[in-house]
Amino acid sequence: MPASILTRDESQSSARSVRFMDVVKRFGAVTAVERFNLTIEPGQFVTLLGPSGCGKSTTLNMIAGLELPTEGRILIGDRDVTAISPADRDIAMVFQSYALYPHLTIFENIAFPLRARRRRTEEADVVKKVKDAALMLGLDSLLHRFPREVSGGQRQRVALGRAMVRQPTVYLLDEPLSNLDQQLRVQMRSELKDLHLRLGATMLYVTHDQGEAMTLSDSIAVMSGGRIEQFGAPKDLYRNPANLFVARFLGEPGMTIIEGQVDNRTFRAPDVVHDAPSVISGTRLAMGVRPEDLTPCQPDNGPMSGIVRTIEFLGSRSLIRVDVGPVLVTAFIASEAEVRIGERIGLKPTTPTSVCWFDLETSQALPRVAVC
Amino acid sequence: MNWRGRLQFALLIIPASVVVLGPILWALSTSLKPNDRIFAVPPRLIPDAPTLTHYARLIAEGVHWSFFNSALYAVTSVVAAVSIGAVAGYALVRFPVRFKPLVLVLFMAALAVPSYALLLPTQIIFVQLGLFDTRLALPILYATHIIPFAVWMTRAHFASVPIELEHAALVDGYSRAEAVWKVILPGAMPAIIAASTFGFLYSWNDYITATTMVDSPARRTLPVALIFFQGFHGRDWGALMAGVIIATLPPVTLFLIFRRHLIGGFSEGSVKG
């Protein structure tokens, strides 16, 4: 991609914070978003991550003004935009379906926001800005074509061009990569990251793809059932999930959760005996461990043991699934490790700190200090 | 296509062309022949002494005013009906209208009622309202007939236009009305043109309503004016055929201009990959 045509100062000046204050959205009897509180700092790349129907797109639409919150307020910068029309919010949005105007050429599509009556952009300025944006996105030779005449990846860039041709306060991106094939998605992902670094803009990204969320974001808000389960830096969320939902949802595959009981600082579950955090005896806990934090050992030497059910060869390593009591435990092992299906093996955490503990009553994680 | 395919295509297209174009060509030929050559034996397609006397006669009889009336009524009714129909079609797609299915069935039912069955009661009402034999009578009746069709056509098209296009325009800084005008309407052009063409043809071709609702020669439509050339003592074929040719011109021109819109699709390439 050619070098940036926007100076950082120029774009940074337009970046604004976004604040949700007790936002609730109901559709009839269904609550799509529940008591949503979130602050996104200017220039941050924040992802709303969650399964389908968790309310992430509704949240994005509320910032855009395409949906009105039932309760609460939304602020962009210091401005309360809760009831302001989308056109007056000065935001840009990239839709999952790209939403390019089919009767307009690529040039006219990118120029469309600038030509809005309320912006009053000089035509010479429009031409310059569109050409600059097209150059930045590698679309300069396609400007006279129509959306139907370009490829999926190029359409995606046109949608991005339409968003960045003016300097909006916030960029909203609704699963913009989900319609691309795997290879193009990885490429566009890094281009998007690059674009964010160069524009220094506030970007709010919605996806159900945790790979995208992890690689792109400064912070991630994991959502489920219209609520934020956890908000934080990708690494923090991955290493220290706040509850069972985040533990299971993040990671490919997610964290293995083994439910059991604590007696005399010892955690017991079928085929599992492990040192437990200091909690009252009889407390029911869940032990969580990531597949890469388990290492195979002799069946009698490890805190857990089980029968190997499947082995998936992944190149540099293999993913094994082991029946430990009623739980299917996943673990990454070196691909050259001698393990056979049906064999009984032991598994142990690589370090004591790699184990997370959750209270089964509340589903919340226990503070780390209690574990280590 | 190879030569065998071309030949088959030509063999199939020739009879179809003769059936469709034959009468029009014969009418054109007759309209250019002097009266004494119209029934000459053997018949000739290309007149040996072409003349424009029949056309001159039409003008002398003031038929061009009827042409103008027909055009005025058709255009007025189409503009009114398609504007109202498109607004209703949009509203029925995008707004939570109560009893929506019932409203749509009513529009469909209106299409199903033969308008001629209501002609006499309508005439009585129009007489009482003072609309009989006015320039408003026919546009009102034609528009009422076209509106249900326009609603159905445009509604189907608006429903197929992704709502994201409208949302994108709103976010891009346009008001709802601007978004509809700049993004949704251009997309609905095929439906609007199809509804307009249907409406125009209906109004342009109508004879029964026009002859029932309008009496004075100054407000007559072209089909009504032409019927007078059938005469009481034998038909004036030359003038009649000249009238037919003139009456055929607007629909044919319309089709030639808009054929791309009438056939082509629209939203291809707007969304997804």
Side-chain angles (χ1 to χ4, degrees), chain B residues 88-255:
Chain B
Y90 178 81
L92 283 167
V93 169
R94 292 284 190 250
F95 294 105
V97 180
R98 285 189 86 183
F99 309 116
K100 198 184 279 189
L102 187 71
V103 174
L104 286 168
V105 167
L106 272 178
F107 276 123
M108 187 56 105
L111 269 178
V113 175
S115 53
Y116 303 136
L118 303 173
L119 211 51
L120 289 179
T122 314
Q123 193 193 39
I124 295 167
I125 294 169
F126 268 44
V127 169
Q128 285 169 353
L129 289 174
L131 286 167
F132 178 78
D133 199 24
T134 63
R135 285 204 185 275
L136 274 177
L138 291 177
I140 290 174
L141 288 174
Y142 293 155
T144 359
H145 189 85
I146 305 164
I147 284 173
F149 184 76
V151 169
W152 272 89
M153 282 292 288
T154 52
R155 183 193 153 273
H157 207 95
F158 288 135
S160 73
V161 176
I163 188 132
E164 283 97 336
L165 284 186
E166 216 170 311
H167 284 169
L170 293 180
V171 171
D172 280 345
Y174 291 80
S175 67
R176 180 97 186 234
E178 286 173 324
V180 171
W181 183 251
K182 297 216 174 223
V183 173
I184 307 301
L185 270 189
M189 261 327 182
I192 287 172
I193 288 172
S196 304
T197 312
F198 165 83
F200 185 86
L201 289 180
Y202 173 81
S203 320
W204 185 262
N205 292 338
D206 170 71
Y207 170 74
I208 308 267
T209 317
T211 197
T212 321
M213 295 295 169
V214 170
D215 218 15
S216 50
R219 297 184 194 102
R220 238 172 233 163
T221 63
L222 190 55
V224 179
L226 289 183
I227 219 74
F228 284 91
F229 288 93
Q230 289 202 355
F232 293 107
H233 313 289
R235 285 172 186 147
D236 187 349
W237 284 108
L240 205 53
M241 289 304 119
V244 164
I245 293 302
I246 289 173
T248 315
L249 284 178
V252 170
T253 317
L254 214 67
F255 180 78

Side-chain angles (χ1 to χ4, degrees), chain A residues 64 66 86-87 91-93 95 97-103 112-113 115-119 147-148 152 155 162 166 179, chain B residues 162-175 178-179 182-184 186-187 266-273:
Chain A
L66 302 172
I91 38 140
M93 190 160 176
F95 292 83
S97 59
Y98 314 144
L100 303 182
Y101 310 119
H103 60 297
F112 197 75
R115 286 178 171 161
R117 205 152 27 126
R118 65 193 71 212
R119 295 207 212 291
R148 61 178 175 275
R155 278 179 211 170
R162 193 170 65 186
R166 58 200 168 92
N179 286 325
Chain B
I163 188 132
E164 283 97 336
L165 284 186
E166 216 170 311
H167 284 169
L170 293 180
V171 171
D172 280 345
Y174 291 80
S175 67
E178 286 173 324
K182 297 216 174 223
V183 173
I184 307 301
F266 167 64
S267 65
E268 186 192 348
S270 67
V271 293
K272 300 208 174 170

Side-chain angles (χ1 to χ4, degrees), chain B residues 26-41 44-55 57 235-239 241-242:
Chain B
W26 196 254
L28 178 67
S29 164
T30 307
S31 74
L32 295 170
K33 287 174 186 167
N35 270 336
D36 55 346
R37 301 284 173 87
I38 289 176
F39 291 105
V41 181
R44 297 177 67 102
L45 183 62
I46 298 166
D48 43 7
T51 169
L52 290 174
T53 47
H54 302 305
Y55 291 92
R57 211 184 132 219
R235 285 172 186 147
D236 187 349
W237 284 108
M241 289 304 119

